[in-house]
Amino acid sequence: TTLPLEPSKVEVTIKMPDDVSTRTTVPVQLPCKVLEYLLRECDLKINDKLVHAYWDHLEKRGDDIAVQSKQLRALASGCVWPLGLHGDEAAIGIINNPTNKVIGITLNIPL
């Protein structure tokens, strides 16, 4: 199914093979808007006990992010969900043509 959100338009600079830069606008589904959609429209819920167990496990293992964010998570009202972002690009068709690239950004919740 298609995400029923209108993509945001983001202006980017693309460097062409001849080293000339050009500006263009690309449609982007912002990860924060996708998460908002999942929470509000799809009623995404994660049990607080599961979230706490996740962070407790990582803290016991000495995970850098869990240890460094412990104080922040203690100050936050409610649970702090772990979210991950990953980006990558791929060429479509002619590899040396920068306008034939697609960039994907994925949002994950590792619970």
Side-chain angles (χ1 to χ4, degrees):
T1 62
T2 303
L3 191 64
L5 297 173
E6 187 65 32
S8 298
K9 305 292 185 201
V10 177
E11 191 170 327
V12 297
T13 301
I14 296 176
K15 189 171 183 179
M16 304 303 277
D18 59 3
D19 283 338
V20 173
S21 294
T22 184
R23 303 272 302 158
T24 188
T25 303
V26 295
V28 175
Q29 287 289 3
L30 298 173
C32 59
K33 294 294 186 183
V34 173
L35 184 59
E36 180 181 4
Y37 170 78
L38 292 171
L39 293 169
R40 292 186 180 191
E41 302 299 325
C42 300
D43 201 29
L44 175 66
K45 298 202 183 318
I46 299 175
N47 186 296
D48 288 354
K49 289 181 183 178
L50 180 63
V51 176
H52 288 296
Y54 173 85
W55 288 117
D56 289 345
H57 171 77
L58 289 180
E59 282 178 36
K60 288 176 186 170
R61 301 288 182 263
D63 179 81
D64 289 342
I65 293 175
V67 171
Q68 292 171 6
S69 67
K70 185 174 183 174
Q71 187 176 18
L72 172 70
R73 289 183 283 112
L75 293 172
S77 59
C79 282
V80 176
W81 288 8
L83 301 176
L85 289 174
H86 175 76
D88 205 354
E89 68 177 28
I92 302 171
I94 302 171
I95 294 173
N96 65 350
N97 185 347
T99 60
N100 286 346
K101 287 186 179 176
V102 61
I103 297 174
I105 300 174
T106 60
L107 171 71
N108 66 68
I109 304 172
L111 293 175

